[in-house]
Amino acid sequence: MARYIFITGGVVSSLGKGLMAASLAALLQARGFRVRIRKFDPYLNVDPGTMSPYQHGEVYVTDDGAETDLDLGHYERFTGVSARQADNITSGRIYRDIIAKERRGDYLGATVQVIPHVTDAIKDFAQAETEDLDFVLCEIGGTVGDIEGLPFIEALRQLHNEMRDETCFVHVTLVPYIAAAGELKTKPTQHSVRELTGLGIQPDILLCRCEKPLPESERAKIAQFCNVRKSAVIPALDASSIYAVPLQYHAEGLDSEVLRHFGLSAPSPDLKRWDDIVDRHQNPEGEVTIGVVGKYVGLQDAYKSLNEALVHGGMANRVRVRIQWLDAELFEKDDAEIAAALEPMHGILVPGGFGERGTEGKIASVRFARERGVPFFGICLGMQMACIEGARNTAGIANASSTEFGPTDEPVVGIITEWMTSEGLEKRSEGGDLGGTMRLGAYQAQLAGNSHVANVYGATEISERHRHRYEVNVAYKERLEKGGLVFSGMSPDGLLPEIVERPDHPWFIGVQFHPELKSRPFEPHPLFAGFIAAAVKQARLV
């Protein structure tokens, strides 16, 4: 039977519960255990797919096409275990399913209530597909006491009552430092634990986020007032890098305390690969600057996986990657200003996005990279901008555009209206729900054997994750290739362009998918490793 570790947070949000869950799972994995991490999101959206990046950060897409919370990206990057639809649930999805059952009469006329119907649905989610696991870590979004989170806390209380010996509660809380007093204050942690115990849950381990070392006297005080062992009060100071967090938590005894709680013994964790990752990150042999020309640059969580994938590319090349976030809208000016902003860059990346805002600035960035020979990487919308730029400036299609931006006589990019699924040919209407009109999840692609990307991947068949509503129009393939833009990756049926490149350029690749979603610190994605290697050459570091 799988053992469950429930992770809650108190005092304030953004304490790093997701990173804590990922780090603890990595430590248990390093001891030989099989792990999976799940996220409970109390908000009423069915999923984050239609939420603004400014509201929620990036949408993380799994192989099976689920649009999920960005914390699942941390889970995958730290454990290498691919997330799936069953690993993220929201209140919206639970209530939607319950109401659908009620309308069908599945409850046989019973009154549908939070207890037992909602809490049972949450418990079913927590326990689904866990037969082959040693540990299931469940992170509850938000903070203890949030109204929308109460059904989740109640469901966990019930689970603990039903399987007491197989559950552990880890509460992540804040121990703030008051500079005027020169002291760390434990009262917020005490009040947070009191709130949690008032809901029927006594935490077993406290992870105390603090910016100063936690004195032994304060650990003892927290343990006494919060009814836990002193060894179960784990300090969690700010780390130099998120990839140093597993090592730091191990040094503080977090994984040992979890095993002690369950009465388990296990070999010491093999942390060699984490030592290597930290060494590569903290001891680079050079630095490159990458300009990311996007529309959500005011909130870096909107590009969380992209940021980490660039860091992984730097690790692969033993260089530090300095990311310069550039607002695409500011690039819709004269060429001199664009050049002034982009000339210091050793590589230019145009990421995914939706809508017309900032697209002309992205196209201008593509043109700069193409004409100046600067390594270029276009992802999703970035590939589409590369195709429109090529159409306008090298293929003689002056009015090339995307139907996403309005009516056009030259739709180089157009809406998906039909594509193949596992169930057959599925047609979607443009007027349908926004959450159901995209190509989502893992799709296969065939690479041209003599292409740059085939050399980068070391293969001619790949599988990558998609999240987009528009495609490059294959009807323009021949004309664009005459302009020097080669379609080096296609869907297996040859109808959907997946990768474009320019053989006459030092490094110019655009991809319709999101390779950043599959990059890991111990296994950097080959496209990011190759892009940073090209930036290293551009910087004349080799």
Side-chain angles (χ1 to χ4, degrees):
M1 178 182 290
R3 295 169 177 84
Y4 290 83
I5 301 171
F6 299 118
I7 299 158
T8 57
V11 186
V12 294
S13 59
S14 301
L15 287 179
K17 296 192 303 295
L19 192 57
M20 177 268 164
S23 298
L24 177 56
L27 291 173
L28 293 172
Q29 191 182 56
R31 287 179 179 267
F33 294 106
R34 297 162 299 174
V35 301
R36 180 166 288 281
I37 321 178
R38 292 185 161 157
K39 177 71 184 289
F40 301 78
D41 278 312
Y43 52 72
L44 289 176
N45 303 69
V46 172
D47 60 42
T50 58
M51 295 170 71
S52 165
Y54 288 113
Q55 287 277 318
H56 193 262
E58 77 167 356
V59 175
Y60 192 81
V61 178
T62 60
D63 279 334
D64 59 2
E67 293 179 288
T68 69
D69 185 81
L70 63 81
D71 277 332
L72 272 72
H74 286 312
Y75 305 164
E76 280 203 17
R77 285 188 286 272
F78 276 59
T79 66
V81 177
S82 294
R84 53 198 182 201
Q85 180 82 50
D87 293 329
N88 190 202
I89 195 74
T90 68
S91 291
R93 194 166 126 211
I94 288 170
Y95 286 125
R96 181 196 64 182
D97 293 348
I98 287 174
I99 290 170
K101 290 179 180 179
E102 186 272 333
R103 293 289 84 188
R104 290 197 304 264
D106 291 3
Y107 297 114
L108 303 177
T111 301
V112 180
Q113 297 176 290
V114 172
I115 302 172
H117 300 100
V118 174
T119 51
D120 281 353
I122 294 169
K123 291 191 290 182
D124 288 344
F125 163 74
Q127 298 178 90
E129 302 177 28
T130 61
E131 295 79 10
D132 60 341
L133 300 173
D134 298 311
F135 287 99
V136 181
L137 289 78
C138 298
E139 176 197 350
I140 296 82
T143 59
V144 169
D146 294 344
I147 290 174
E148 61 267 31
L150 294 179
F152 291 91
I153 297 296
E154 171 59 20
L156 301 190
R157 185 196 66 79
Q158 293 177 22
L159 270 178
H160 173 64
N161 203 39
E162 294 165 10
M163 41 195 301
R164 193 173 297 270
D165 294 337
E166 283 79 44
T167 61
C168 175
F169 286 94
V170 179
H171 190 51
V172 183
T173 186
L174 178 68
V175 180
Y177 177 75
I178 307 301
E183 292 179 336
L184 289 165
K185 293 297 183 181
T186 65
K187 272 290 186 281
T189 292
Q190 294 177 45
H191 287 305
S192 180
V193 172
R194 186 177 303 163
E195 179 80 18
L196 188 58
T197 54
L199 297 172
I201 293 175
Q202 166 63 48
D204 302 298
I205 298 171
L206 296 178
L207 189 78
C208 299
R209 287 298 309 275
C210 44
E211 56 182 294
K212 301 283 186 180
L214 189 63
E216 289 299 308
S217 61
E218 297 302 290
R219 289 183 70 178
K221 182 179 180 181
I222 291 171
Q224 183 178 37
F225 281 98
C226 296
N227 200 30
V228 298
R229 288 191 299 266
K230 181 182 172 184
S231 61
V233 179
I234 308 294
L237 276 72
D238 295 343
S240 58
S241 157
I242 63 170
Y243 300 111
V245 172
L247 297 174
Q248 183 174 310
Y249 284 175
H250 174 64
E252 295 291 354
L254 176 60
D255 49 325
S256 298
E257 192 64 28
V258 168
L259 294 180
R260 181 182 301 146
H261 171 83
F262 286 113
L264 296 174
S265 60
S268 297
D270 182 0
L271 299 174
K272 293 190 189 69
R273 71 176 183 178
W274 288 102
D275 289 328
D276 180 58
I277 288 166
V278 172
D279 178 59
R280 287 174 174 272
H281 188 249
Q282 296 184 349
N283 300 295
E285 297 173 358
E287 179 179 284
V288 296
T289 302
I290 303 298
V292 178
V293 184
K295 63 186 289 188
Y296 308 117
V297 295
L299 180 69
Q300 292 183 20
D301 270 357
Y303 299 115
K304 187 62 180 173
S305 292
L306 179 66
N307 183 95
E308 298 308 316
L310 286 167
V311 171
H312 303 163
M315 291 176 181
N317 291 278
R318 276 206 171 269
V319 295
R320 176 177 290 111
V321 177
R322 190 167 70 87
I323 302 174
Q324 190 75 33
W325 301 98
L326 303 168
D327 189 340
E329 285 189 280
L330 302 180
F331 279 33
E332 296 175 355
K333 299 179 180 179
D334 60 61
D335 292 344
E337 289 191 46
I338 295 171
L342 292 179
E343 277 178 353
M345 303 300 124
H346 303 127
I348 296 170
L349 190 151
V350 176
F354 294 91
E356 184 178 9
R357 181 169 63 84
T359 53
E360 290 301 322
K362 294 179 181 181
I363 291 170
S365 303
V366 177
R367 181 174 182 177
F368 179 91
R370 177 179 57 81
E371 292 179 343
R372 300 293 187 94
V374 179
F376 171 79
F377 194 5
I379 295 175
C380 196
L381 182 64
M383 168 179 152
Q384 296 170 10
M385 297 300 96
C387 290
I388 291 174
E389 190 279 330
R392 291 179 183 177
N393 299 315
T394 66
I397 310 172
N399 296 321
S401 188
S402 168
T403 58
E404 183 176 8
F405 312 148
T408 175
D409 295 330
E410 298 286 3
V412 171
V413 178
I415 187 74
I416 297 174
T417 56
E418 60 184 30
W419 62 92
M420 292 300 294
T421 69
S422 57
E423 291 78 33
L425 189 63
E426 181 177 345
K427 296 188 178 181
R428 308 284 178 102
S429 66
E430 292 186 41
D433 290 341
L434 287 177
T437 58
M438 289 194 288
R439 190 147 65 107
L440 284 166
Y443 285 80
Q444 302 292 320
Q446 299 281 346
L447 310 184
N450 59 348
S451 63
H452 184 190
V453 289
N455 290 329
V456 168
Y457 275 98
T460 55
E461 295 183 4
I462 62 170
S463 174
E464 294 282 3
R465 298 179 190 174
H466 294 63
R467 182 179 184 254
H468 59 99
R469 192 172 286 114
Y470 291 80
E471 301 277 4
V472 174
N473 190 341
V474 73
Y476 285 85
K477 179 174 182 288
E478 184 176 343
R479 294 165 70 184
L480 289 172
E481 290 198 324
K482 286 181 179 178
L485 192 66
V486 174
F487 286 63
S488 54
M490 299 291 293
S491 60
D493 59 11
L495 297 178
L496 300 176
E498 294 280 10
I499 306 176
V500 296
E501 61 181 65
R502 288 190 176 275
D504 59 348
H505 190 280
W507 208 96
F508 189 107
I509 292 175
V511 298
Q512 185 59 75
F513 45 83
H514 288 271
E516 70 271 22
L517 299 178
K518 295 182 72 171
S519 187
R520 312 282 183 264
F522 40 83
E523 192 178 348
H525 193 286
L527 286 173
F528 282 92
F531 177 54
I532 298 304
V536 169
K537 290 183 180 178
Q538 184 77 10
R540 295 179 174 83
L541 294 177
V542 294

